[in-house]
Amino acid sequence: MNLQTQTSPPATLKRGLTARHIRWMALGSAIGTGLFMGSAGAIQSAGPAVLIAYIVGGAAVFMVMRALGEMAVRHPVSGSFAQYASRYVGPFAGFVAGWTYTFEMFVVALADVTAFGLYMGFWFPDVERWIWVLAIVFFIAALNLISVKVFGELEFWFSLIKITAIVLMIVGGIAIMIFGLGNQGENAAGIQNLVSHGGFMPNGLWGLLASFTIVMFAFGGIEVIGITAGEAQEPRKVIPKAINSVPMRILLFYVLTLGVIMSLQPWNTITGEKSPFVSIFESLGISGAAHVLNVVVITAAVSAINADIFGAGRMLHGLAEQGQAPKAFMKLTRNGVPWLTVVTMVSALLVGVVLNALFPDQIFFLIAALATFATVLVWLMILISHVRMKREIAREGLLPSEFPVPLWPLASYLTIGFIGFVIIMIGLVESTRPALIVGVVWVLILFASYQLFCKGKGRERHFLVDETGPISIDER
C-alpha cells in the first residue's frame, strides 16, 4: 500500500514534516554535541590537522547520505535503512541495522544529556550533574509526545538558534583576528596558531588517523533524514533537497568553525572540560559572550537529544512493522506519535543519570567511542544495502533511480573501505578499544536475540513498495 494515500489517523504516521523541517532536523542532529563538545577530543588528538579529518569524514558522510537518499526516494518508509537492509541484504541484516541504530541514538542521546550536564556546570558548578541530566530527560519526553508537525517546528527553531550562533561566531572570530580584539602576548589570535604550536600536524599521521574515531561521532545522527521519509510531505521532492543541502553545510560549519576556534586559541589549550566555544571567549576576556554561547550550546544539546529520540522512536516503530520488535511499538497517539517508543527511549536515558552520578569524568568520551562504532556499523549496512539494490536494478531492468548516487560504483566502494578503516581504528586506539569490544558483544547479543525471539514475519525479507516513476528527459 502506498503510504501517501493512507488517511486513517489511528493506524498511520502523519506526513507533517516539510522540507524545511527535515533539512533543519538533520542539521540539528548532526551539529550538536559532536561539534560543541566532542571536537575538543578530536583537536587534542590531531591538532589543527583535524580539519583534514573533518573534510574526509564529511565526504564519506555525503556518500552515505546519497546512498540512503536513493533508497528513501524509491521506498519512502519510516523504518528506513532497517527495512532496506531486510529487503536487499536479508532479515538479520535489517534486524542488526535497526537495533544498532536504536542503540546508536540511545548512546548519542546519552552523550548529549551528559554534555548538557557539563554545560549547566558552567553556571552552577556546585550542583550535581545528574540532577540536570534527569531534568532534561523529562523535558525531552514531553516534547516528543507532541504531534510530529509541532516537533518539526520546535526542531527548526532549536537548529536555527545554533546555526545562527555558529555563523556569528565565525564572523566574530574573524573580526577578532583582523582588529586585534583580545589579543594578548604570545597567544595572540591569528591563523599562525594553526602552525605555531608543534606544526599543523603536531601528533603526526597517527594523531590524525586516531581522530577519526571522534570525528565520525560528530556526524552521527544525520541519517535521521532517511527516517523522516515516512512522515515527509512529498518525499520524492523533499528528501533529495534536504540531502543535497545538508552535508556541504555541515562540512562548511565544522571546518570553518574549528579553523576559527584554533586560530583564536592555540589548539593545545583546548581541553574537554568545557565547550571550546565557551572557552575561547573566556580566554579572550569576553565573559558576556561566553554566557550567551553557553545558552546556545545548551540549545544545541536539547535539539540533538530531541532529534535522537525522534529517530530511535520511528526506527522501533519500523522494526515492529517488520516483525522484529514487539507489536506494541506500533501503537500511536491520536496525533500519530508512536508513544511507547518514546517512553522506552526516555526510560533508557535514565541510565544516563546513573552513569553520570557514578562516572562523571570518563563518561563522555567512552560514550562518544561507543556511538562512533554504532554509527559506522549503521552506515556500513546502508552502503551494503544500496549496493545490493543497485545490482538488483541492473539485473532485473527496473526503472532507473530518480536520485542516483554520484560516481557509481567507485565512490560507493571507496566509502565502504573508509568505513571499514574507521572500525579498525576504533580497535587500534587504546582509549576507544573498549567501544569495539562492547560493539562486538552487542552484535553477538543481537544474533542470539534474533535466533531466540524473531519468528515468522521477522525471519522474512521485508516487502517494500517501489514508488519510482519514469524519468523524463527534462528531469535528467
Side-chain angles (χ1 to χ4, degrees), residues 103-166:
F103 174 67
E104 175 200 341
M105 288 297 95
F106 161 64
V107 173
V108 170
L110 203 57
D112 290 330
V113 297
T114 300
F116 177 82
L118 287 170
Y119 299 152
M120 295 304 293
F122 176 71
W123 289 322
F124 306 99
D126 297 328
V127 178
E128 294 289 340
R129 187 192 304 168
W130 68 266
I131 295 175
W132 297 117
V133 174
L134 184 64
I136 193 61
V137 165
F138 283 117
F139 176 70
I140 292 298
L143 284 184
N144 270 269
L145 291 174
I146 303 173
S147 72
V148 70
K149 185 175 182 178
V150 176
F151 165 84
E153 281 297 318
L154 288 170
E155 194 60 27
F156 165 73
W157 288 107
F158 280 149
S159 298
L160 182 60
I161 289 172
K162 63 184 175 185
I163 298 302
T164 301
I166 291 174

Side-chain angles (χ1 to χ4, degrees), residues 247-263:
M248 287 307 296
R249 291 186 187 186
I250 289 177
L251 183 60
L252 191 66
F253 284 135
Y254 272 97
V255 174
L256 255 185
T257 301
L258 294 182
V260 169
I261 284 177
M262 289 183 290
S263 296

Side-chain angles (χ1 to χ4, degrees), residues 28-154:
S29 183
I31 299 183
T33 306
L35 174 60
F36 291 109
M37 178 60 70
S39 56
I43 290 171
Q44 288 171 339
S45 175
V50 75
L51 299 179
I52 296 175
Y54 278 104
I55 292 173
V56 174
V61 167
F62 176 70
M63 285 307 303
V64 172
M65 290 308 301
R66 285 299 300 259
L68 179 56
E70 183 172 346
M71 293 188 290
V73 170
R74 188 171 285 267
H75 310 293
V77 293
S78 63
S80 192
F81 42 84
Q83 295 187 2
Y84 306 149
S86 176
R87 165 67 177 79
Y88 290 106
V89 184
F92 178 62
F95 185 80
V96 170
W99 281 104
T100 300
Y101 176 76
T102 303
F103 174 67
E104 175 200 341
M105 288 297 95
F106 161 64
V107 173
V108 170
L110 203 57
D112 290 330
V113 297
T114 300
F116 177 82
L118 287 170
Y119 299 152
M120 295 304 293
F122 176 71
W123 289 322
F124 306 99
D126 297 328
V127 178
E128 294 289 340
R129 187 192 304 168
W130 68 266
I131 295 175
W132 297 117
V133 174
L134 184 64
I136 193 61
V137 165
F138 283 117
F139 176 70
I140 292 298
L143 284 184
N144 270 269
L145 291 174
I146 303 173
S147 72
V148 70
K149 185 175 182 178
V150 176
F151 165 84
E153 281 297 318
L154 288 170

Side-chain angles (χ1 to χ4, degrees), residues 276-291:
F277 283 73
V278 173
S279 64
I280 59 173
F281 282 95
E282 274 194 322
S283 68
L284 294 170
I286 311 175
S287 58
H291 287 285

